[in-house]
């Protein structure tokens, strides 16, 4: 339930409402809206009778929240959340491009790819240090060594870093280096990891589990907000279906539905969705057209030698072409770009 305060409500009125809510055994979460304050009631099991709140000084109205997720819902928070990472804003209506290899393999590999993607117009660099692999015999990532390489990449290129925390035991190490901490599809319901992410001040990129409903996904995001970290970016990365022409099926319909249900930014990862290089560019275009806040794409300068996900990694010149193709599309389909600003230019983003 959401308790909406009058514009004229005083700080004392708000504090009083919070005390009354807490005295009933619930928790109260003040939320600053555009014009007025609202107070969310959390941790209630079952519907709350609004009458005891309605009579309190300063209370305007009470809005029942119909969804199981609260803090991530538009009912609680109607305005879009915008996440700031360095000069980059995610969720403000411009299009954000995250690019890089699946895994950091060496300093030379990471720097080479980072220079390419930066030149083409990427805003953030991605690269796994700790890799979730289906086979225990597959390359598991360089771990801490990769984190040191990622720090160098940021220093040299200025690109903020997105990298995955595979479990809560490595979270401290990862958040020290990462500008955005990724929680992967296989970990979307790793509740220990979600709780750890909720105590971090770093933004979290939360991928959709490969068999997760939108409600399960948003409930996973709710864990992070409930624990105190409001900086969550959602990422659709394909779900398991019966198809065998692609690794997964990109659920583009998730984008408008999530946008309606939640104020959190939503990205699309076409690389893991399809698993095949030839599908990445068309699916990226579709992601822009459907209204995603950005895309995350795997790029490798020698994909045939990549230690993971080479088959879905774009060559640098393909990535460059992709950036050129989506620039005019972003001007058409995204919400806040000013005419004449080139998508893909870090300067353009900084000025929005
Ligand atoms: C990745 O981004 O490299 C990755 C492993 O993604 P996902 O968790 O979506 O499979
Ligand atoms: Mn990958």
């Amino acid at each position: 339930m959401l308790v909406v305060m009058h514009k004229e409500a005083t700080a004392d009125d708000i504090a009083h409402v919070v005390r009354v809510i807490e005295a009933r055994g619930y928790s109260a979460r003040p939320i600053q809206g555009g014009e007025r304050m609202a107070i969310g009631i959390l941790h209630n099991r079952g519907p709350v009778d609004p009458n005891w709140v309605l009579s309190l000084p300063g209370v305007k109205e009470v809005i029942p929240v119909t969804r199981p997720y609260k803090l991530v819902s538009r009912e609680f928070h109607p305005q879009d959340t915008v996440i700031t990472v360095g000069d980059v804003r995610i969720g403000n209506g411009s299009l954000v491009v995250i690019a890089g290899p699946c895994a950091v393999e060496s300093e030379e590999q990471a720097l080479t790819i980072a220079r390419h993607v930066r030149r083409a117009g990427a805003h953030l660099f991605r690269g796994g240090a700790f890799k979730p692999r289906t086979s225990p015999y597959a390359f598991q990532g360089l771990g801490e060594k990769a984190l040191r390489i990622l720090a160098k990449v940021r220093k040299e290129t200025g690109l903020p870093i997105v990298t995955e925390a595979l479990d809560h035991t490595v979270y401290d190490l990862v958040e020290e280096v990462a500008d955005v901490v990724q929680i992967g599809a296989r970990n979307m319901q790793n509740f220990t990891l979600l709780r750890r992410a909720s105590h971090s001040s770093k933004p979290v990129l939360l991928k959709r589990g490969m068999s997760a409903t939108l409600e399960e996904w948003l409930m996973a995001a709710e864990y992070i907000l409930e624990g105190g970290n409001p900086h969550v970016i959602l990422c659709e990365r394909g779900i398991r279906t019966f198809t065998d022409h692609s690794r997964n099926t990109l659920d583009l319909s998730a984008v408008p539905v999530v946008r309606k249900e939640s104020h959190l930014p939503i990205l699309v990862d076409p690389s893991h969705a399809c698993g095949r290089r030839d599908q990445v560019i068309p699916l990226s275009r579709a992601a822009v057209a459907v209204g995603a806040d950005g895309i995350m794409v795997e790029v490798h300068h020698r994909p045939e030698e990549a230690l993971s996900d080479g088959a879905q990694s774009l060559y640098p010149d393909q990535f460059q072409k992709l950036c050129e193709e989506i620039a005019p599309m972003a001007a058409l389909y995204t919400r806040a770009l000013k005419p004449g600003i080139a998508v893909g230019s870090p300067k353009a983003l900084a000025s929005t």
Side-chain angles (χ1 to χ4, degrees):
M1 199 166 81
L2 196 63
V3 181
V4 181
M5 303 300 289
H6 280 295
K7 270 190 263 179
E8 304 75 29
T10 64
D12 279 352
D13 293 337
I14 294 163
H16 182 223
V17 173
V18 168
R19 274 198 307 277
V20 171
I21 293 171
E22 287 176 348
R24 296 224 158 195
Y26 310 134
S27 46
R29 188 74 71 106
I31 300 164
Q32 182 64 60
E35 286 200 319
R36 56 183 90 239
M37 198 75 179
I39 301 163
I41 299 183
L42 300 175
H43 298 114
N44 51 302
R45 303 212 164 88
V48 176
D49 175 3
N51 289 317
W52 53 274
V53 189
L54 277 169
S55 57
L56 298 175
V59 172
K60 178 174 183 280
E61 60 180 332
V62 165
I63 300 175
V65 174
T66 53
R67 305 292 196 261
Y69 37 86
K70 315 276 176 208
L71 297 167
V72 307
S73 76
R74 285 240 183 238
E75 288 176 326
F76 253 61
H77 188 293
Q79 310 89 345
D80 289 344
T81 283
V82 178
I83 311 251
T84 302
V85 185
D87 285 343
V88 182
R89 313 249 188 292
I90 306 175
N92 73 341
S94 54
L95 186 80
V96 169
V97 178
I98 305 173
C102 180
V104 173
E105 299 166 4
S106 69
E107 186 174 323
E108 187 260 336
Q109 173 250 19
L111 274 170
T112 305
I113 299 169
R115 289 187 195 112
H116 278 299
V117 299
R118 190 191 193 297
R119 216 175 302 125
H123 308 108
L124 291 96
F125 183 74
R126 63 146 293 150
F130 300 93
K131 293 303 303 175
R133 303 307 300 277
T134 303
S135 165
Y137 307 115
F139 176 60
Q140 306 286 307
L142 296 180
E144 286 190 62
K145 182 174 173 207
L147 293 177
R148 288 193 291 276
I149 294 172
L150 287 168
K152 262 195 187 166
V153 168
R154 177 183 37 223
K155 191 153 185 253
E156 194 182 296
T157 63
L159 292 172
I161 301 298
V162 183
T163 194
E164 178 166 354
L166 204 50
D167 60 43
H168 67 279
T169 65
V170 296
Y171 214 95
D172 288 359
L173 283 175
V174 171
E175 77 175 342
E176 223 174 274
V177 168
D179 296 285
V180 176
V181 178
Q182 177 170 321
I183 293 185
R186 291 155 190 81
N187 266 325
M188 189 206 82
Q189 283 188 316
N190 178 339
F191 298 110
T192 319
L193 184 59
L194 296 173
R195 286 252 185 255
R196 175 62 188 83
S198 80
H199 301 137
S200 175
S201 58
K202 291 279 169 81
V204 177
L205 189 148
L206 179 65
K207 291 192 138 191
R208 179 180 180 187
M210 56 186 83
S211 302
T213 63
L214 297 190
E215 185 173 308
E216 288 164 341
W217 188 17
L218 292 172
M219 290 304 276
E222 185 81 12
Y223 265 85
I224 304 174
L225 271 76
E226 192 268 343
N229 184 352
H231 311 296
V232 175
I233 305 154
L234 300 166
C235 181
E236 159 63 35
R237 46 79 70 206
I239 49 171
R240 278 280 168 89
T241 68
F242 53 81
T243 59
D244 55 7
H245 62 274
S246 63
R247 183 174 175 181
N248 293 290
T249 297
L250 180 57
D251 182 10
L252 283 170
S253 67
V255 176
V257 178
V258 164
R259 186 175 294 303
K260 186 160 162 253
E261 288 293 311
S262 176
H263 51 90
L264 298 175
I266 176 164
L267 308 184
V268 167
D269 170 352
S271 306
H272 292 88
C274 66
R276 295 177 39 161
R277 188 175 304 124
D278 61 341
Q279 296 174 9
V280 170
I281 292 182
L283 290 179
S284 301
R285 290 195 298 253
V288 178
V290 84
D293 291 293
I295 53 172
M296 179 155 90
V297 178
E298 286 186 342
V299 179
H300 201 292
H301 63 313
R302 285 201 287 268
E304 43 304 307
E305 290 168 26
L307 298 179
S308 68
D309 286 347
Q312 68 197 32
S313 299
L314 295 183
Y315 288 96
D317 60 337
Q318 288 180 305
F319 177 68
Q320 158 105 36
K321 183 164 170 277
L322 166 63
C323 289
E324 286 163 10
E325 280 190 21
I326 59 176
M329 292 187 64
L332 271 180
Y333 294 111
T334 57
R335 288 159 291 139
L337 269 179
K338 299 174 190 93
I341 293 181
V343 175
S345 145
K347 273 202 209 92
L349 267 171
S351 66
T352 58

